[in-house]
Amino acid sequence: MIATVLKRLVLPALALMLAACAHAEEPTPMPAFTVIAEDGAAEIRAYAPMIVAEVTVEAPSLAEAASAGFRPLANYIFGGNAPRQKIAMTSPVTAAPKGQKIAMTAPVTAAESAEGGSYAVHFIMPAEWTMDTLPAPTNPDIRLVPLPGRTVAAYRYTGGDTPKKREKAETEVRAFANARGYTVTGEPEWAGYDAPFVPFFLRRYEIMLAVEPANKE
């Protein structure tokens, strides 16, 4: 079973691995943010506005949703768009539940329920692109979505991505946000930062929660 899940996650990412290997010495760009507070693996961050390419998939679990969503999004940035223009890969790739089928998000408990559900998988677009300049996807299932700036609580973990680690990360990030005087305003979001050629025990993942100050006027 574990081997099957790993194949589903790794095989769709071969195209990304080949592209990343050609530029392994170059750091993968990440969206801009400011750290407001931190404690070990936990941070409160203020993110600047960004644009994401989004696809919605139906899947019984996070692992299968990430695998299914990766294929069309990777195709888009590798030239699956109207002018066949390549777009730089950024980090992280994110996933979260879509609609009201499940109460939890991409990682944690409810997201791992037997019923599964609808997931939104995102690639973050490089900062130099705008809604006017990004090439139109040839796949009608892919949407370009502008997101406003936001504040999130994030908890980092490494050494493989498992339901147990995601559940622990969600518990820790909620406790951290509450202790720092923030109210959680959104469902958890899963983020994966590394290309497939990175050894699994070194890969970085996060659970993120949208938050705002509890005493906000």
Side-chain angles (χ1 to χ4, degrees), residues 188-212:
E189 183 177 349
W190 173 91
Y193 282 82
D194 298 296
F197 63 82
V198 176
F200 79 92
F201 53 87
L202 295 178
R203 294 179 192 173
R204 171 186 170 188
Y205 303 95
E206 289 181 345
I207 299 300
M208 299 190 294
L209 294 166
V211 298
E212 63 180 27

Side-chain angles (χ1 to χ4, degrees), residues 140-154:
D141 293 333
I142 295 176
R143 300 168 296 281
L144 299 176
V145 182
L147 301 180
R150 60 176 183 157
T151 302
V152 307

